[in-house]
Amino acid sequence: MMKPKKLANKDFLSSLDLAPEEVIDILNLAQKFKNKDLNIEFKNKVLGLIFDKSSTRTRVSFQVAMSRLGGTTIDLDPTTSQIGRGEPIKDTARVLSRYCDVLAIRTFKQSNLEEYAKWSSKPVINALTDLEHPCQALADFMTIKEEFIDFSKVALTFIGDGNNVANSLILFGALLGVEVRIACPKGYEPNSLVIKKANEINKGTNLLKITNDPYAAVEGANVLYTDVWSSMGEENQKEEKDKEFSGFTVDSNLVSKASKDAIILHCLPAYRSKEITDEVIESAKSRVFEQAENRMHAQQALLTCLLS
Ligand code: CP
Ligand code: NVA
């Protein structure tokens, strides 16, 4: 039987907290959970969830993943706990890590997540920040692997805002040797440090390409990925961004320029007729619900590796 290995880092705050072999191990483990080939128990272990922003998939997939491992979850609502009152993170983190065995946190600044991890004696997982969404990327690459098997033959194009989802795709792409192309309007490029890190990992192989031309980016790509144009916390920029992102909708015309075998991904929730058309998200090429399901398997594998 496959024996899950403990991760070298205590926390999963960024995609770069995993070594490439660890990513592969988690993806293989996730597939085993999905195929029901593996039964691992963490009886009586408790996952604490903190969501400073809304969530459906991340919240429920973590809860179900933990219950499939025989553990339980406590979902802390900031408005009914002392978190919303502004209790210092260093106090909350020290208290919660005496009760829970692992914490998954969705918050705004990456530095707040890092503060939790600094003061928590137990592993802390990034359940989305303004900078990264690494749990999403785990499920994304699991979905890509199910479809194409060999990462070195895949070109992934992300069309839209150079946001948290794009940043994590870039970093995972670099770790796994996947060609990643980002097409975004001028001024909405991904984080510059993320680009620098990915280029360092890619070592001059030119695997990462950033362009403002969606059609050039999509040419022959195997995976077309998009996300909302305005992320949580950017509600006041919505009108302006809707204008700036005109021409970046993933529609059937854009899809027709991709490889014949191309699949469509979206982390969800989606705004149909903004970043993606209803026709494309409902098409036979769409894998968005497989991708959403894989959140649960990938996180079950991640929890296993962090708790082992
Ligand atoms: N994709 C994702 O993280 O969805 P939720 O915001 O519903 O968790
Ligand atoms: N970029 C989006 C992802 C939601 C899962 C956001 O941060 O709101």
Side-chain angles (χ1 to χ4, degrees):
M1 198 188 81
M2 182 175 178
K3 201 169 169 354
K5 285 191 211 105
K6 189 156 184 66
L7 300 177
N9 281 319
K10 167 182 148 279
D11 305 304
F12 183 48
L13 307 181
S14 160
S15 311
L16 293 183
D17 282 337
L18 297 180
E21 319 75 71
E22 290 178 324
V23 180
I24 297 293
D25 283 350
I26 292 173
L27 298 186
N28 288 339
L29 199 59
Q31 199 62 54
K32 289 212 181 298
F33 281 128
K34 187 171 184 178
N35 298 343
K36 299 197 169 35
D37 279 350
L38 195 62
N39 191 16
I40 292 180
E41 291 238 322
F42 288 102
K43 225 167 169 290
N44 301 327
K45 295 278 181 191
V46 179
L47 164 68
L49 294 177
I50 300 172
F51 284 91
D52 289 339
K53 302 184 186 186
S54 305
S55 171
T56 299
R57 278 145 289 271
T58 309
R59 170 180 275 125
V60 179
S61 57
F62 262 120
Q63 286 176 334
V64 179
M66 197 60 190
S67 88
R68 286 181 173 213
L69 290 170
T72 53
T73 311
I74 295 170
D75 187 356
L76 277 152
D77 176 354
T79 59
T80 54
S81 65
Q82 306 290 12
I83 295 168
R85 165 189 178 275
E87 182 170 6
I89 289 175
K90 62 180 179 182
D91 293 355
T92 307
R94 278 178 289 182
V95 172
L96 289 184
S97 60
R98 284 169 185 249
Y99 303 146
C100 301
D101 301 284
V102 53
L103 300 171
I105 300 169
R106 171 170 288 194
T107 191
F108 291 84
K109 289 191 204 146
Q110 183 77 13
S111 57
N112 284 350
L113 182 78
E114 286 163 1
E115 175 82 352
Y116 271 109
K118 180 179 165 193
W119 293 96
S120 167
S121 56
K122 302 289 167 51
V124 172
I125 299 170
N126 181 344
L128 181 147
T129 60
D130 292 343
L131 183 66
E132 273 211 59
H133 197 0
C135 291
Q136 178 68 54
L138 273 178
D140 301 340
F141 282 96
M142 178 179 175
T143 313
I144 293 168
K145 194 165 187 276
E146 281 182 317
E147 196 75 31
F148 298 106
I149 301 156
D150 183 355
F151 283 132
S152 69
K153 297 203 166 70
V154 174
L156 184 166
T157 296
F158 179 93
I159 304 122
D161 190 24
N163 61 12
N164 41 13
V165 169
N167 289 332
S168 292
L169 287 174
I170 288 174
L171 293 173
F172 264 89
L175 291 173
L176 296 169
V178 175
E179 179 184 343
V180 176
R181 309 171 188 169
I182 307 286
C184 55
K186 268 201 173 61
Y188 293 100
E189 285 78 12
N191 180 280
S192 55
L193 272 178
V194 164
I195 295 175
K196 189 168 169 268
K197 281 274 177 205
N199 284 332
E200 279 168 22
I201 299 168
N202 286 338
K203 290 193 199 85
T205 49
N206 208 21
L207 274 175
L208 172 62
K209 296 174 186 81
I210 318 274
T211 171
N212 305 122
D213 180 352
Y215 279 87
V218 158
E219 179 107 42
N222 311 96
V223 182
L224 267 55
Y225 195 131
T226 188
D227 181 20
V228 291
W229 292 337
S230 300
S231 285
M232 289 179 277
E234 296 182 338
E235 288 75 13
N236 59 350
Q237 297 171 41
K238 209 162 186 291
E239 222 171 293
E240 187 194 334
K241 285 185 104 175
D242 279 358
K243 280 192 211 126
E244 304 252 32
F245 282 74
S246 135
F248 285 79
T249 303
V250 178
D251 57 17
S252 2
N253 193 30
L254 195 62
V255 172
S256 72
K257 311 294 178 219
S259 167
K260 270 204 178 67
D261 66 355
I263 60 165
I264 311 296
L265 299 181
H266 190 309
C267 58
L268 302 177
Y271 282 111
R272 288 156 198 245
S273 82
K274 293 271 168 106
E275 74 274 5
I276 193 162
T277 61
D278 188 59
E279 189 187 1
V280 169
I281 205 167
E282 297 294 347
S283 72
K285 288 179 170 296
S286 171
R287 298 290 180 276
V288 297
F289 295 104
E290 203 66 39
Q291 180 188 8
E293 178 187 330
N294 287 341
R295 294 292 309 274
M296 175 177 66
H297 306 301
Q299 285 155 204
Q300 192 174 345
L302 174 70
L303 288 166
T304 297
C305 294
L306 287 171
L307 291 168
S308 285

